[in-house]
Amino acid sequence: MSERTLIGKTALVTGSTSGIGLGIVKSLARQGANIILNGFGDAEGPKAEIAALVVQVGYHGADMSKVPEIEAMIAFATETFGGVDILVNNAGIQHVASVEDFPVDRWDAIIAINLTSAFHTSRLALPHMQKKNWGRIINVASVHGLVGSAQKSAYVAAKHGIVGLTKVTALENATTGVTCNAICPGWVLTPLVQKQIDAKAAALKISNDEAIKLLLGEKEPSMQFTTPEELGELAVFFCSDAGKNIRGVAWNMDGGWVAQ
């Protein structure tokens, strides 16, 4: 086994009990980082998976739309592990509707969870990173942080906002050992995307495989999903010595989506 490069570091990944977040957590844990999981649903399964990688693992169920809960989660990280060295802002929700029909409460929830929560976690985690002169903030944006799609006004607005927040955070810490970058995935086969595939298959009365081809064919020239594991390996690269002068980028892993 090659040397584990993140031993002694603590990573907090929001929305990490499934999907992209869990993929990123596994990659960081394989490099020896202690992990704080966050998310809804079953936490015991993911906790056991991470513990099997021989790292310490904690869990905090903060609702990322509630500032006092975010503050409690960072306090928990500080008490348990001494602070957060690697912060991955991944938590996100989606709702699809045209602007004039978009429910106001859905807009507010998407902006709160997909954008505002990353501001709160960053402002709370940065002092520890600045004191140590080492830290990595990785914001999971989306290809929708770079381009738009119809029916996704709140999501696209939030993800464009995340890319802007990433740039400012990177610039403010540019002369330090703290970096901030964004990952912008295209289609990733997560429970969220599977719901969209199922809905497309049902609406058009076609098979799941045909719905997948339609979904990818609309946007993603490679005709293949990016995997949570691939995104996790990109996060590890950002955390490595090779990534120390990568600052403020929005790195798309999107099968050619934005190249068109």
Side-chain angles (χ1 to χ4, degrees), residues 12 16 30 56 93 104 119-121 127 140 148 150 156 159 164-165 168 193-194 222 230 239 254:
L12 166 63
S16 53
R30 284 190 200 103
Q56 293 179 54
I93 58 170
V104 172
F119 160 71
H120 290 300
T121 54
V140 179
V156 171
K159 295 302 188 179
L165 177 64
V168 173
V193 170
Q194 187 60 54
S222 67
E230 287 162 355
C239 293
D254 63 357

Side-chain angles (χ1 to χ4, degrees), residues 183-208:
I183 296 175
C184 300
W187 288 120
V188 183
L189 194 54
T190 62
L192 201 70
V193 170
Q194 187 60 54
K195 275 187 196 167
Q196 291 182 55
I197 293 165
D198 294 342
K200 197 180 273 283
L204 299 174
K205 296 185 170 58
I206 54 175
S207 73
N208 218 267

Side-chain angles (χ1 to χ4, degrees), residues 75-161:
F76 167 79
T78 303
E79 287 156 22
T80 312
F81 293 108
V84 175
D85 304 300
I86 299 161
L87 170 64
V88 182
N89 288 307
N90 168 70
I93 58 170
Q94 175 67 287
H95 184 83
V96 179
S98 56
V99 170
E100 67 274 19
D101 297 324
F102 214 95
V104 172
D105 65 329
R106 291 289 80 205
W107 172 278
D108 290 343
I110 288 169
I111 298 298
I113 291 169
N114 296 27
L115 174 57
T116 307
S117 73
F119 160 71
H120 290 300
T121 54
S122 297
R123 73 176 172 82
L124 294 162
L126 272 165
H128 167 79
M129 295 178 180
Q130 290 162 340
K131 192 175 168 188
K132 287 182 78 172
N133 200 36
W134 195 96
R136 297 288 187 268
I137 297 176
I138 300 168
N139 293 321
V140 179
S142 165
V143 73
H144 285 118
L146 304 169
V147 295
S149 285
Q151 307 280 304
K152 296 182 178 178
S153 56
Y155 191 84
V156 171
K159 295 302 188 179
H160 272 68

